[in-house]
Amino acid sequence: MSAQPTAVVAELRDSPASNELRQVDSTKEVRGSLTPEIVIALCGPIGSPLHEVATQISSALVPFDYKTEQIRLSSIISLNAGDVGKIIFPKPRLKQINSLIEAGDALREKYGHDILAKVAIAKISGDRAQGYGEFDDKAAESGVAESKKINNQRICHIINSIKNESELELLRLVYGNALVAIGVFSPLDIRRHNLQNAAQEAMSSDDIDTLIDTDSGEEFAHGQSVRDTFPRCDFFLRVDQPVSGSTESDAAGQIAKKLRRLFGLIFRTSISTPLPEETAMYAAASAARNSACLSRQVGASVTSRSGELLAVGWNDVPQAGGGLYGKPSLEATSAALDPSADRRCFAGENPRCRNDEEKLGIAGKVADLLIKEGLVAKDHRDRILTAISKDSRVKDLIEFSRAVHAEMHAILGAGRIAGDRLVGGMIFVTTYPCHSCARHIVAAGITEIHYIEPYRKSMATKLHSDSLTEGVGPDMRVKLIQFDGVAPRRFIEIFEAGKRKDRGVLDLSLRDAAIPSTRVSLKAIPRLEEAVIAELENKTLKYVPLAST
């Protein structure tokens, strides 16, 4: 029985243009619509060298014959601050930054968390229409000129910089893999130095620390949340040197070298295999997917001093007989394979997080004690519970979780398999380790901890400053290092080999003709941009014309 044509197909079949459309080679049509356009979104904590990275991106793309345009979201905020009753102060620098943060938050609160990304999208669409005209949405046979116009669209928009998860999410929805989000990070001491150096006037240590804390993660959804947005990037670029303002500085050189490798991978103009750190972090991120924890999935991998992968781990509830639920052990194979025997927090008649349950119980005991001692009225109990649960250190307690943490699971596995090879090795964790895991990592003899996602609750360096450091200089302490390189989420795509040889001889594209592996169809992008622009038409938001680089 043949399928009935849909109404759309029937209408297309009976239209005057049906004969022309029947001649279309759909494969050729799709391939001809792929655009070499790239959109790069920068994200990083305040004080990281985002502007220097934007400059170096423009330089790195010159050999690829790319034109670059930079969209400064701070400029968009400045232009539209008056719309939300805010004023951007030109100086001093501290007041300027604070006024930009307040205006950005107000714009997100009024128009939606992703409004700044929407204005950036409108700008990208406008630049394309201005530089290349409107793209024909008809068949490829409508003319070779259209396909050539698409292939010549060698332009990269650099968005500097996104601060909210919703902004990154919308950009990914519109541009797909053509969007490359780069997380830029410098250690805290370097960021403090960069802020003080760029301010051109004295800022106190307290002022700088307040700025860094505010930028990292405000306590409302429409605020800046770099701490939450940063881990979702596609590539991480760690800069361990201060920015001096010179194009020949150590920081500039470090950035340029890493960007050359990234673009060589994206355009496949060079053969570059994963660094040991990238392989180890990919293993950690893959292991995290085994976790059924209700709070978060965390993965870890342990390597030897030379980078040899020893073991992986994830956070989940331990099972009698050894190992964790969900993965059968020799002693508990039958129980592990029986779904009815699963005793993790999500299973059973009353699925719940035991850690949250215990924290709520502590808050209740504190509230009852205050009431019993006559310090607060009984009818205020609910308010007390809310205050303790949300605005005290009780909310940060992790001691009552049933799960073995990923780091401990990986260390236990490495200890069984590798023994002393663990000593002097490294651990790669998707999330900054908690203070409990940190002390066990130190005791295991590990020398470096590489992580992606920051963790607000960790007191690792506060409690163990004698054994742990986030500094990068010569030091006998265990180093906590922000991960650097291709993110696990793009690992397979970026390192997948394209065509490398012709008749047995190395044959890679020249940079000025190379096509990025991240290409998407230009049939889709303008339609999605139009949806954003249609929404913005009723708003009075403005954006600045951009200068080509």
Side-chain angles (χ1 to χ4, degrees):
M1 181 177 178
S2 61
Q4 295 296 317
T6 64
V8 173
V9 171
E11 181 180 353
L12 188 63
R13 179 194 60 199
D14 300 332
S15 69
S18 59
N19 289 331
E20 178 185 348
L21 289 169
R22 289 193 186 106
Q23 304 304 315
V24 171
D25 182 332
S26 59
T27 303
K28 181 179 178 182
E29 168 78 3
V30 172
R31 286 178 177 167
S33 72
L34 297 179
T35 176
E37 287 186 48
I38 304 172
V39 178
I40 294 179
L42 301 181
C43 177
I46 193 168
S48 295
L50 294 163
H51 302 327
E52 181 64 33
V53 170
T55 299
Q56 293 297 333
I57 288 173
S58 296
S59 298
L61 285 174
V62 168
F64 293 90
D65 195 27
Y66 264 70
K67 173 184 177 183
T68 56
E69 300 276 9
Q70 186 174 170
I71 300 175
R72 295 279 293 271
L73 295 192
S74 59
S75 296
I76 293 173
I77 293 172
S78 295
L79 277 176
N80 296 285
D83 189 69
V84 287
K86 301 293 182 181
I87 298 174
I88 306 301
F89 297 95
K91 58 182 182 180
R93 181 61 173 159
L94 175 63
K95 199 169 184 178
Q96 180 190 48
I97 295 174
N98 279 326
S99 60
L100 282 168
I101 292 174
E102 289 177 7
D105 291 347
L107 286 166
R108 294 188 192 97
E109 184 176 23
K110 180 176 180 178
Y111 293 115
H113 304 166
D114 53 6
I115 187 60
L116 298 180
K118 288 177 179 177
V119 179
I121 289 167
K123 187 67 182 74
I124 293 171
S125 177
D127 285 350
R128 188 188 306 111
Q130 182 179 6
Y132 295 88
E134 296 294 335
F135 283 90
D136 194 348
D137 196 33
K138 297 178 183 177
E141 276 71 11
S142 60
V144 178
E146 185 70 21
S147 177
K148 184 177 180 181
K149 184 163 63 174
I150 292 175
N151 291 332
N152 289 339
Q153 181 72 348
R154 298 178 75 84
I155 184 169
C156 173
H157 282 89
I158 306 167
I159 302 175
N160 181 9
S161 62
I162 57 174
K163 299 285 188 179
N164 187 286
E165 283 184 280
S166 297
E167 295 166 354
L168 177 56
E169 181 180 5
L170 179 63
L171 291 168
R172 280 216 172 104
L173 287 172
V174 173
Y175 297 109
N177 284 346
L179 176 81
V180 180
I182 299 181
V184 183
F185 178 88
S186 288
L188 186 58
D189 289 346
I190 301 295
R191 281 184 276 144
R192 286 192 179 114
H193 176 276
N194 290 342
L195 283 169
Q196 191 67 266
N197 192 50
Q200 297 181 343
E201 74 270 341
M203 279 200 293
S204 70
S205 296
D206 289 343
D207 287 339
I208 290 176
D209 288 345
T210 300
L211 274 179
I212 289 172
D213 187 59
T214 302
D215 173 80
S216 176
E218 295 172 343
E219 297 301 323
F220 41 87
H222 60 269
Q224 295 188 177
S225 56
V226 174
R227 190 192 303 263
D228 299 322
T229 310
F230 180 90
R232 300 180 60 200
C233 288
D234 303 306
F235 183 78
F236 298 102
L237 201 162
R238 190 179 69 243
V239 185
D240 297 331
Q241 301 293 328
V243 176
S244 66
S246 168
T247 56
E248 304 299 324
S249 68
D250 290 340
Q254 192 177 60
I255 293 167
K257 180 180 179 180
K258 294 178 180 182
L259 288 174
R260 283 196 297 271
R261 176 175 181 262
L262 172 63
F263 290 125
L265 286 166
I266 289 176
F267 286 90
R268 292 176 176 163
T269 54
S270 61
I271 296 178
S272 181
T273 54
L275 300 173
E277 293 84 359
E278 291 168 328
T279 300
M281 190 59 81
Y282 178 71
S286 299
R289 298 330 186 240
N290 291 307
S291 170
C293 183
L294 298 180
S295 296
R296 63 172 65 203
Q297 292 178 307
V298 181
S301 67
V302 175
T303 71
S304 66
R305 189 194 306 267
S306 61
E308 177 188 9
L309 185 64
L310 302 179
V312 298
W314 56 92
N315 58 320
D316 218 327
V317 179
Q319 183 182 23
L324 309 179
Y325 279 103
K327 295 292 179 179
S329 62
L330 292 176
E331 293 81 0
T333 302
S334 59
L337 294 177
D338 180 6
S340 64
D342 200 323
R343 296 292 185 267
R344 284 177 284 183
C345 302
F346 72 87
E349 297 180 358
N350 185 24
R352 64 197 187 281
C353 175
R354 301 298 176 83
N355 192 56
D356 288 347
E357 186 178 54
E358 290 296 326
K359 288 191 293 185
L360 186 59
I362 291 173
K365 288 182 179 180
V366 172
D368 291 339
L369 180 60
L370 293 173
I371 293 169
K372 180 181 178 181
E373 295 295 326
L375 299 174
V376 295
K378 186 175 182 179
D379 57 357
H380 288 170
R381 188 177 190 275
D382 288 344
R383 291 176 58 191
I384 297 171
L385 285 176
T386 300
I388 294 174
S389 299
K390 292 186 176 181
D391 298 319
S392 75
R393 296 303 300 273
V394 170
K395 71 173 183 178
D396 294 338
L397 292 175
I398 57 175
E399 280 70 22
F400 307 108
S401 172
R402 297 179 64 218
V404 173
H405 287 198
E407 299 93 319
M408 290 308 304
H409 187 206
I411 288 173
L412 287 170
R416 287 194 298 267
I417 296 169
D420 287 346
R421 282 192 293 163
L422 176 64
V423 178
M426 297 172 283
I427 188 165
F428 294 79
V429 196
T430 56
T431 300
Y432 191 104
C434 71
H435 44 273
S436 179
C437 284
R439 60 177 175 254
H440 289 91
I441 291 171
V442 172
I446 288 170
T447 58
E448 290 183 4
I449 303 167
H450 295 254
Y451 67 94
I452 291 178
E453 183 178 353
Y455 185 51
R456 298 169 188 255
K457 301 178 182 180
S458 182
M459 299 176 64
T461 54
K462 181 177 181 180
L463 296 177
H464 301 286
S465 59
D466 59 316
S467 302
L468 292 162
T469 179
E470 293 182 353
V472 294
D475 198 313
M476 291 298 293
R477 291 176 291 179
V478 177
K479 291 181 173 58
L480 284 151
I481 303 172
Q482 179 73 51
F483 174 69
D484 185 70
V486 176
R489 69 181 310 276
R490 300 290 288 268
F491 183 91
I492 296 294
E493 171 200 348
I494 293 294
F495 288 109
E496 185 176 11
K499 178 177 175 292
R500 289 181 171 178
K501 65 179 182 179
D502 182 25
R503 300 177 185 179
V505 179
L506 180 67
D507 183 29
L508 299 176
S509 298
L510 297 176
R511 286 183 293 181
D512 60 356
I515 301 299
S517 60
T518 56
R519 287 191 301 168
V520 296
S521 173
L522 200 59
K523 297 290 184 181
I525 290 177
R527 296 295 171 265
L528 297 173
E529 289 173 336
E530 284 174 9
V532 173
I533 294 168
E535 178 192 342
L536 291 177
E537 284 181 350
N538 294 326
K539 299 178 174 65
T540 57
L541 297 175
K542 302 178 288 294
Y543 51 81
V544 292
L546 304 176
S548 300
T549 305

